Amino acid sequence: MSFWRSIKKIASVLVLVMLLNTVFAAITVSALPAHSELQQIQDELNLTESEIQELLLFIQEHSSSIEEAIEVDENLKANIEQYNEHSKEFAMILAFADIATSQTSTVSHLSDSSIPSEISPAIWPIVWAVVAAIIKAAVKKKMGKKIQKQIGDKFDRDVWPQIEPGIKAQYERYGYTRNKGPEAPSQPNGINQGEHIISLFGQDGIEYLRLDVFTSQSRNHTRWHFHTKDNWPDHKGNVDLYHNSLPKWGSE
C-alpha cells in the first residue's frame, strides 16, 4: 500500500470518529434540559415535587369532568390557553392556581380528622378551584343553552357567590373524589327534570352534598339550594330567581 493511500485511509477514519463524537455530544446535550418544566412549576407555585405530582394525578383522574368545565367556560379556557407554552396538565395547574389565588377566602385542610385525606394541605385551594369549575359546569349542563341565555348570568352574579361559601365549607370537611351530575338518559334532553344538579362524594366515598334547584309550576321562579349529609331534608342556601318561564332543563 502506498504512503498516500495510507494517509487517506487514516484521514477518513479520523473524520468518521469526529462526526460520531459530534452526533453523540448533540444527543447528550439535548437529553439534559437546563431547567425542567416540573422544577419551573414548583418554583412558580412554591410547591414541592410531591405536591405537584399529587395535582397532576388529581387532574388526570378527573380529566373528563375538567374538560367539560373548560368547554363551557370561556374565561377558564382563556386562562388555560395563556399557558400554552406548557404541557396541557401543567397549563391547567397554573390556571387553577391563578383562580385559587384570586379567591378572597382560602381552604387549607380537611377539617374532619376522622376522614383520611389523600391530598396535601398546600394544594387544597387549587383542588377547590377545580371542583368549583366542575360544579358550575354541571349547572350549565342542567340549564342547556336556552336557559343559560335566560338566567346564566343571574346564576353567576346572584346565586353562586351566595352558595359557594357553604359548599366550600363542606368540601373542606370531606374532600372530593367524584361527582354525579344531572345526566339522565331516560328523561327529556338527557337531563334530570327534577331538582338534582350535582352530588359530591368525599374522601370516604360517601355522598356528602347535593346541589338542587326548585322550579315553580309556572317555571318563572327557581330556588337554588343545597343539602348536606348531616341533615339531608334541610334546604341550605335558598337563593330565589324570578324570570320568564323556562323551557325544559337541558334545552338546546
Side-chain angles (χ1 to χ4, degrees):
M1 181 182 293
S2 70
F3 174 76
W4 289 112
R5 288 181 67 184
S6 298
I7 292 296
K8 285 181 179 179
K9 281 199 169 188
I10 292 170
S12 298
V13 170
L14 288 173
V15 168
L16 179 60
V17 169
M18 290 174 64
L19 285 172
L20 289 173
N21 284 338
T22 302
V23 170
F24 285 128
I27 291 173
T28 303
V29 170
S30 66
L32 296 172
H35 196 63
S36 71
E37 186 177 25
L38 176 61
Q39 185 65 54
Q40 183 182 350
I41 304 301
Q42 282 181 242
D43 294 343
E44 191 161 339
L45 299 182
N46 195 28
L47 295 173
T48 66
E49 180 176 345
S50 174
E51 288 162 348
I52 294 294
Q53 295 290 1
E54 285 182 59
L55 280 171
L56 286 171
L57 181 60
F58 183 85
I59 284 174
Q60 289 164 1
E61 287 178 344
H62 303 285
S63 59
S64 59
S65 294
I66 296 171
E67 290 289 353
E68 288 182 0
I70 295 168
E71 188 62 31
V72 299
D73 189 331
E74 290 299 325
N75 291 330
L76 177 57
K77 187 184 297 185
N79 201 350
I80 291 173
E81 287 175 351
Q82 73 174 319
Y83 295 111
N84 58 12
E85 74 273 16
H86 296 285
S87 64
K88 188 174 183 179
E89 288 80 8
F90 281 125
M92 288 181 182
I93 287 175
L94 289 167
F96 285 116
D98 284 347
I99 295 170
T101 301
S102 69
Q103 292 173 345
T104 54
S105 59
T106 60
V107 178
S108 57
H109 58 81
L110 194 71
S111 61
D112 190 337
S113 60
S114 68
I115 302 171
S117 174
E118 298 176 358
I119 301 176
S120 298
I123 66 174
W124 271 67
I126 300 175
V127 173
W128 167 249
V130 176
V131 175
I134 290 171
I135 294 170
K136 288 187 279 187
V139 171
K140 290 181 179 180
K141 184 179 289 187
K142 174 81 170 184
M143 290 181 178
K145 290 180 180 177
K146 287 185 177 179
I147 296 179
Q148 281 184 53
K149 288 180 181 178
Q150 286 186 246
I151 63 171
D153 289 344
K154 287 185 177 181
F155 177 86
D156 292 338
R157 183 183 65 246
D158 301 328
V159 178
W160 181 249
Q162 293 194 56
I163 65 174
E164 181 189 16
I167 296 174
K168 184 189 289 186
Q170 293 296 308
Y171 156 82
E172 183 174 14
R173 183 175 182 184
Y174 297 110
Y176 173 86
T177 53
R178 66 183 181 92
N179 73 82
K180 179 183 178 184
E183 298 87 350
S186 63
Q187 297 193 33
N189 305 318
I191 295 296
N192 188 327
Q193 295 300 311
E195 294 193 3
H196 181 262
I197 300 173
I198 188 171
S199 295
L200 303 184
F201 294 79
Q203 297 287 339
D204 54 5
I206 298 173
E207 180 185 11
Y208 66 88
L209 184 136
R210 196 175 301 145
L211 177 61
D212 284 352
V213 55
F214 160 81
T215 312
S216 67
Q217 189 171 359
S218 60
R219 301 188 67 80
N220 62 359
H221 168 214
T222 49
R223 176 172 294 157
W224 305 79
H225 59 278
F226 60 93
H227 303 266
T228 58
K229 74 172 186 176
D230 58 328
N231 186 359
W232 284 119
D234 187 28
H235 289 61
K236 296 180 173 67
N238 293 317
V239 181
D240 293 298
L241 292 182
Y242 296 92
H243 37 71
N244 293 330
S245 183
L246 299 178
K248 288 184 180 297
W249 293 111
S251 295
E252 297 294 319

